[in-house]
Amino acid sequence: MKKISLILLLIISKGYSQEVNTDIREYASFKEGTTYFIKSSNKKYNQIISDILTKYWTVNKFEMIAPNQIEKLKGERSFFVDQVEYSFSREGGTTGALNMAYGVTKLAMFKDYKKNTPKGVLSLVQLDKVSPVDMLFAIQLMQSQINFVFELNTKKDLDVKDFLEEVSEKNMKRIKEKKLYLSYSDLKDDIDTVEKLKKIYNYRAEITTKERIEQVIQDQDADAVVTKVINYKNLKFVLFIAAKNSELMYGRVMTGFNQMQIGPKFFKDINE
């Protein structure tokens, strides 16, 4: 599938925008405003996005627009959503042991464009691939982040660690009431079977295929929680997210040499 927009943003730095701007003052006109989702040249895909928004977008009004409409629609009550490509690089020293570079696609909500670069970014949601189910998941996750900012109602722009601590404090216990769906490829070897997982996690869990996990998201299964690993600067975070409405329930920074897979500590934390 093509992207919502052909506009490409490339940032090589140590400090691109936080995943969520939590300063409630930045959302003063949001609920009375309009969120403009920027179209792709792919009409079929635009229809998929429109159907998702019509069914699930509830935080404010929305419209889908062409890229050339952005300039005339700018204003205090205007918010824009587009896909952007971020890259991150870091040189760790002469040995090269800590060198890293990666690129990632994110769905970005922002207030303005300056020289084709989004400014005033309010929310970023990582897209592992551009597909109907991933767009459903991402759009709902962006909406759940915004809802949480209004619940938090703080005049501080928390960094991603502090934001996730606030989320975990409020929502983590609710995971125990639901069933965790986990992919074999997402788990470290010491917990890659249900039997191993049960030794540290006392609640319902199923280790299954990514296709099955996509299905519970598509079905909006109210009993299901899924996991997602996101990139943030030189760190990776694991998120536990409700399949229904993509409500963020728990998140922590990943540790250890292999940061691509989820280890036992996250399940022990929830189990306590």
Side-chain angles (χ1 to χ4, degrees), residues 78-269:
S78 297
F79 302 80
F80 301 94
V81 174
D82 194 9
Q83 282 183 58
V84 295
E85 297 289 338
Y86 286 95
S87 71
F88 176 84
S89 65
R90 185 188 68 181
E91 293 184 3
T94 56
T95 64
L98 296 178
N99 289 355
M100 64 166 57
Y102 66 81
V104 63
T105 303
K106 297 201 178 191
L107 201 64
M109 175 179 285
F110 53 92
K111 284 292 294 175
D112 197 3
Y113 265 130
K114 294 292 184 183
K115 297 181 179 179
N116 291 331
T117 300
K119 297 292 184 182
V121 175
L122 297 178
S123 175
L124 288 170
V125 174
Q126 181 171 310
L127 285 168
D128 295 327
K129 60 181 178 179
V130 181
S131 68
V133 68
D134 279 73
M135 292 305 301
L136 168 63
F137 188 70
I139 287 170
Q140 289 191 306
L141 181 55
M142 179 173 282
Q143 181 167 252
S144 79
Q145 289 178 341
I146 293 166
N147 282 330
F148 193 82
V149 169
F150 277 97
E151 291 176 23
L152 194 61
N153 195 28
T154 181
K155 293 181 180 180
K156 295 180 180 179
D157 186 12
L158 302 176
D159 66 23
V160 65
K161 291 181 182 179
D162 290 340
F163 173 72
L164 290 176
E165 284 181 4
E166 292 283 353
V167 170
S168 299
E169 179 70 23
K170 178 178 181 292
N171 290 335
M172 183 171 64
K173 292 180 180 179
R174 293 171 50 213
I175 297 174
K176 300 175 183 179
E177 304 168 3
K178 301 178 183 290
K179 184 176 181 179
L180 270 174
Y181 286 83
L182 305 157
S183 166
Y184 287 101
S185 60
D186 289 338
L187 297 174
K188 292 186 176 179
D189 292 344
D190 45 359
I191 52 167
D192 63 355
T193 67
V194 172
E195 291 72 23
K196 293 177 184 177
L197 187 59
K198 283 182 177 179
K199 293 179 181 179
I200 58 170
Y201 186 70
N202 298 328
Y203 303 93
R204 293 181 296 151
E206 179 179 329
I207 303 177
T208 185
T209 63
K210 289 188 179 293
E211 290 75 17
R212 172 62 177 144
I213 292 170
E214 288 182 351
Q215 190 62 54
V216 299
I217 295 170
Q218 190 71 52
D219 293 343
Q220 292 291 283
D221 188 339
D223 189 46
V225 173
V226 301
T227 62
K228 184 179 181 71
V229 176
I230 66 166
N231 295 281
Y232 179 76
K233 299 182 183 178
N234 61 323
L235 299 174
K236 291 183 181 293
F237 289 80
V238 60
L239 310 179
F240 287 64
I241 302 170
K244 182 178 176 61
N245 298 328
S246 296
E247 183 183 5
L248 185 56
M249 306 190 79
Y250 171 72
R252 285 287 187 272
V253 67
M254 301 187 71
T255 58
F257 182 75
N258 181 3
Q259 293 188 10
M260 290 304 296
Q261 293 178 309
I262 304 169
K265 71 180 291 292
F266 301 97
F267 302 97
K268 289 178 181 177
D269 287 349

